[in-house]
Amino acid sequence: MIENSIPISTLFIGLNGLIAFFLSYIVAFERTKTRVWHGESKKDIAQQPDPLVNPGAWATLVEQSTQKLFSTQSQDDGLLQRKVRAHGNFAEYVPHALLFVLALELMQVQIWLLWLLGCSITVARIAHAWGLIKTYGPSPGRAIGFFLTWFVYIVGSLACVYYGLKGIF
């Protein structure tokens, strides 16, 4: 059996990997539902050919299968845009935050700091995604996510600088 020398980082990398998958899934689901295959609105794709005008066998199969899932089509192009941004924001912020946790765990810092950073980024990105998808504009979820993410970036950066310098000198 392999002993995991970085169990906390491993846990948060796994949890945030599942969140990334979920956000990716809801974007793909919304694209299928709205039939907006590229971009974030029908306006974005107005100049592109419609793959359903003369569909091939594959497009026909996918279209028939997916449309059975939906009783009505969503007319909220903004919902797709919000889901795309929730996934994009997650992908922009989480990797660096997890690197803080990983690097600090490898430096064998206090466990409480690792749990603080790991829990904070996980809660932050769930709250941010929820607030962004459910509400256009400012929302409590987005604010919580935004400020907790900045907290992780500030504390994680300073801790990495501190322990990095401590290790050098």
Side-chain angles (χ1 to χ4, degrees):
M1 183 170 157
I2 299 173
E3 184 177 327
N4 187 350
S5 62
I6 53 166
I8 298 170
S9 299
T10 301
L11 171 66
F12 286 111
I13 290 168
L15 288 174
N16 283 279
L18 291 172
I19 296 166
F21 169 78
F22 176 74
L23 291 172
S24 176
Y25 173 81
I26 65 172
V27 169
F29 194 81
E30 191 68 25
R31 283 195 184 287
T32 303
K33 187 175 175 182
T34 61
R35 296 179 176 167
V36 177
W37 311 112
H38 303 283
E40 298 170 349
S41 69
K42 296 201 185 293
K43 181 180 172 185
D44 289 344
I45 61 168
Q47 301 300 316
Q48 299 180 36
D50 185 348
L52 301 177
V53 171
N54 293 312
W58 177 249
T60 300
L61 175 66
V62 171
E63 176 66 9
Q64 289 172 350
S65 301
T66 58
Q67 291 311 304
K68 290 177 186 176
L69 297 172
F70 310 112
S71 58
T72 59
Q73 289 185 359
S74 172
Q75 297 301 316
D76 183 2
D77 288 340
L79 181 59
L80 174 58
Q81 184 181 44
R82 293 190 307 272
K83 288 179 178 182
V84 167
R85 282 313 313 144
H87 181 258
N89 277 228
F90 184 92
E92 291 165 6
Y93 287 103
V94 171
H96 207 123
L98 292 177
L99 284 175
F100 296 142
V101 178
L102 177 62
L104 292 168
E105 190 165 12
L106 289 170
M107 295 289 294
Q108 299 179 341
V109 304
Q110 299 88 348
I111 298 296
W112 67 264
L113 180 58
L114 303 174
W115 282 102
L116 176 69
L117 294 174
C119 288
S120 294
I121 195 61
T122 303
V123 168
R125 299 328 297 171
I126 291 171
H128 186 270
W130 180 263
L132 182 58
I133 291 168
K134 292 296 180 187
T135 307
Y136 177 78
S139 70
R142 288 182 78 182
I144 290 166
F146 175 81
F147 287 114
L148 268 179
T149 299
W150 274 21
F151 169 79
V152 170
Y153 267 59
I154 291 167
V155 172
S157 295
L158 292 174
C160 282
V161 168
Y162 172 79
Y163 287 106
L165 288 173
K166 187 176 176 183
I168 292 170
F169 300 107

